[in-house]
């Protein structure tokens, strides 16, 4: 007969806890961004492009810590909404994404909701407690 392996230590797995917390944070920000037609990942793409300017997908995905397929899904939605464009270049492998004027307006309109979500993060169950203020107001 085989012995039963004790799996009780898996209940406090830090990997599972981090993934649970990441999903909770995503849901929190998504709830605030939803009225603006954005998900948190899409907002991050718009914000990154606003700061970086035209950026190739691989660099953008790496900078945001996203899988390239996740970025591609977000980019398709953002392009469909007219918020980003893919620039044509001589090298098909280097087709940067760029924020459009409409995308900048969408980002600017959603920014107060993102700031509110950030400010309220400390009050969320299971949120990381950094002890630092998250307010972006001066």
């Amino acid at each position: 007969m085989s012995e039963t392996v004790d799996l009780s230590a898996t209940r406090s797995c830090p990997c599972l806890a981090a993934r649970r917390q990441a999903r909770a944070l995503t849901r929190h920000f998504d709830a605030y961004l939803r009225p603006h037609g954005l998900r948190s990942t899409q907002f991050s793409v718009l914000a990154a492009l606003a700061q970086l300017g035209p950026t190739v997908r691989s660099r953008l995905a790496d900078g945001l810590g996203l899988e390239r397929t996740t970025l591609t899904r977000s980019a398709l939605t953002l392009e469909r909404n007219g918020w980003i464009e893919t620039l044509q270049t001589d090298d098909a492998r280097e087709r940067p994404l760029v924020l459009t004027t409409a995308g900048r307006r969408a980002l600017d309109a959603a920014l107060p909701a993102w700031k509110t979500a950030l400010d309220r993060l400390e009050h969320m169950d299971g949120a990381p407690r950094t002890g630092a203020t998250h307010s972006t107001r001066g």
Side-chain angles (χ1 to χ4, degrees):
M1 260 188 212
S2 64
E3 285 186 41
T4 302
V5 177
D6 180 13
L7 297 173
S8 62
T10 63
R11 289 187 212 121
S12 60
C13 174
C15 181
L16 179 59
R19 290 178 56 86
R20 184 180 304 120
Q21 190 169 55
R23 287 189 300 273
L25 286 168
T26 298
R27 285 191 304 271
H28 174 77
F29 278 90
D30 283 352
Y32 284 89
L33 294 169
R34 190 172 297 118
H36 299 279
L38 288 166
R39 297 181 60 113
S40 55
T41 303
Q42 296 164 340
F43 178 86
S44 296
V45 169
L46 295 179
L49 289 174
Q51 295 173 69
L52 298 171
T55 308
V56 295
R57 290 172 195 255
S58 57
R59 180 171 176 232
L60 188 58
D62 288 346
L64 292 172
L66 297 174
E67 294 290 329
R68 193 174 158 115
T69 56
T70 301
L71 175 61
T72 297
R73 281 192 307 272
S74 291
L76 287 172
T77 300
L78 295 171
E79 279 190 289
R80 194 171 36 249
N81 289 340
W83 295 340
I84 66 171
E85 292 177 343
T86 301
L87 297 178
Q88 301 300 318
T89 64
D90 293 336
D91 184 352
R93 295 169 296 166
E94 301 256 339
R95 294 179 24 161
L97 298 173
V98 63
L99 187 67
T100 65
T101 302
R104 183 62 203 217
R105 283 193 303 265
L107 177 61
D108 290 347
L111 188 60
W114 178 86
K115 287 180 179 178
T116 299
L118 187 64
D119 287 345
R120 293 187 180 165
L121 187 59
E122 285 294 318
H123 305 291
M124 191 175 100
D125 276 347
R129 301 294 189 239
T130 62
T133 180
H134 290 290
S135 179
T136 56
R137 293 181 188 96

